[in-house]
Amino acid sequence: MAKVHVLYTGGTIGCVPDAQGALAPVPGPEFERLVLSMPGLSGHRVADHPGLTWTMGWLDRTLDSSAMTPADWIVIARRILDVYDEHDGFVVLHGTDSMAYTASALSFLLPGLSKPVILGGSQVPLTVALSDALPNLVGALALAGTLPVPEVCVFFDTRLLRGNRARKIDANRFAGFGSPNFPPLATVGSFVDRNSALWLPMPGEDSSLSVPANRAGRREELDAQAAALDGFSVPMLWLHPGIRASTVSAMLSGTVPAAKGLVLLAFGEGNGPTDPAFLAALAGADRSGVVVMDNTQVQAGAVLPGAYATGLGAVGAVGAYDMTPEASYAKLVCLLAAGLDPVAVKGLMATPIAGELTVIDA
Ligand code: ASP
């Protein structure tokens, strides 16, 4: 028998139109009743998977994921730990808008994961007949209960993606998520095609969250990270031709609480403008202890620090290699919240810790 816990956080999958006709997520109990009325999911079972049962929990206030903050990531991580022992896998139902950020963050907040945590949602609500919600939900449940993949994943439209490699790539189509720099961990069709050679290894006893003492330690660290979140900011800045040095300076000096990190969405392989004032603003930030990430605004491919004279490594920015901007932001927030100093954060940002990047020797 496998038991899967579903944590419903909100998002389109659970939305109905409000008085103005705009979509808003229904509260948890209402959503659970709706799910139980769906073909194949009645009685807390999953059709075609005789040994699989599910339970459901929810956030007190269900959210459109555009309204989520890093504090919500920690609430979700804690909720998974609360029911970790009694379940074999977890489904986090989540809005698609910021799903890639939450999936990335959970991969950094739950090191030692020994069971699947699968984020899922839909582009069209479950109450609508022509919707991707039911196949996405049943797929996430079935995979969480049958696939021993010890990682945070996103399941969407037939593909199981590594969570910290996933990106929302389409605002409307059912194929809403992609993983431009990493192949799917599994693909669902008339059978499940597992790419298990790519899965992260099972954690050892020293770190596995299956060990109660490790879970207790993680809870304490999550509490400390939650308390630290109000003490710093991490803005993201999309570079563009003609960007002013004053924009960078205003962003860094005007952000409250003060920025301890900055994620740049740079050109191509991590390049930027050559305006000396712009470069001086970034170099100044680096000198003052702000960890500056050099990510690319291009959908796929990697930042290659030092490939071009315009590369931003020269001002102290950390090359993100092929890490997504969403993962870069989430990782930076989690490491800074853990209280690490800028030198340690810089080192870890350029090192894979949850399968989020590939180091490229250029
Ligand atoms: N705005 C919704 C959300 O992110 C979109 C969705 O779920 O597809 O919560």
Side-chain angles (χ1 to χ4, degrees):
M1 289 297 276
K3 271 178 81 179
V4 173
H5 185 70
V6 181
L7 176 63
Y8 164 61
T9 70
T12 294
I13 193 162
C15 277
V16 294
D18 65 13
Q20 286 73 44
L23 290 173
V26 298
E30 198 178 319
F31 183 72
E32 184 176 31
R33 281 195 293 280
L34 177 64
V35 172
L36 283 166
S37 74
M38 290 289 139
L41 295 176
S42 59
H44 292 97
R45 300 198 165 267
V46 181
D48 311 321
H49 292 80
L52 186 54
T53 59
W54 55 272
T55 55
M56 191 179 285
W58 42 81
L59 297 187
D60 296 340
R61 200 170 58 89
T62 48
L63 292 168
D64 185 299
S65 74
S66 302
M68 282 197 177
T69 67
D72 295 304
W73 304 339
I74 295 187
V75 169
I76 295 170
R78 279 204 193 106
R79 292 287 298 269
I80 292 169
L81 286 183
D82 287 347
V83 292
Y84 196 84
D85 213 20
E86 311 91 78
H87 296 88
D88 303 287
F90 307 89
V91 171
V92 179
L93 295 178
H94 195 286
T96 60
D97 289 346
S98 73
M99 190 186 290
Y101 292 88
T102 303
S104 298
L106 291 177
S107 77
F108 305 120
L109 293 172
L110 294 171
L113 207 59
S114 53
K115 305 174 183 183
V117 171
I118 301 182
L119 281 84
S122 63
Q123 299 278 37
V124 175
L126 188 58
T127 49
V128 175
L130 183 53
S131 166
D132 53 339
L134 187 58
N136 284 356
L137 173 55
V138 175
L141 272 167
L143 293 177
T146 57
L147 233 54
V149 52
E151 352 187 348
V152 178
C153 310
V154 166
F155 178 70
F156 217 86
D157 185 50
T158 74
R159 291 188 303 163
L160 186 73
L161 309 172
R162 174 165 293 163
N164 55 33
R165 296 283 196 160
R167 306 197 74 184
K168 185 168 181 180
I169 55 164
D170 200 298
N172 317 110
R173 289 172 199 246
F174 287 175
F177 281 80
S179 175
N181 286 333
F182 203 74
L185 302 177
T187 307
V188 174
S190 54
F191 64 93
V192 177
D193 189 5
R194 304 175 177 207
N195 207 349
S196 50
L198 295 178
W199 301 355
L200 292 177
M202 271 297 164
E205 283 281 298
D206 55 329
S207 63
S208 174
L209 291 178
S210 293
V211 176
N214 294 337
R215 286 202 299 281
R218 185 87 307 262
R219 268 200 204 91
E220 274 176 29
E221 282 167 51
L222 288 176
D223 289 348
Q225 281 169 298
L229 284 177
D230 283 342
F232 67 92
S233 305
V234 177
M236 298 179 81
L237 181 62
W238 181 281
L239 303 190
H240 53 85
I243 188 169
R244 309 254 182 226
S246 58
T247 301
V248 181
S249 307
M251 184 181 225
L252 287 167
S253 63
T255 300
V256 179
K260 281 193 181 175
L262 169 67
V263 178
L264 297 175
L265 288 310
F267 303 122
E269 291 181 343
N271 309 316
T274 50
D275 168 19
F278 167 82
L279 294 172
L282 289 180
D286 175 58
R287 272 197 308 278
S288 69
V290 176
V291 177
V292 181
M293 286 306 297
D294 187 12
N295 272 83
T296 180
Q297 55 188 252
V298 183
Q299 278 295 318
V303 164
L304 301 176
Y308 287 86
T310 51
L312 293 168
V315 294
V318 179
Y321 297 107
D322 61 351
M323 184 160 50
T324 66
E326 294 89 336
S328 206
Y329 171 75
K331 185 176 176 184
L332 200 42
V333 169
C334 294
L335 293 177
L336 289 168
L340 301 175
D341 65 69
V343 175
V345 173
K346 277 182 157 188
L348 287 171
M349 287 303 295
T351 308
I353 57 176
E356 73 282 12
L357 67 84
T358 316
V359 174
I360 295 156
D361 291 320

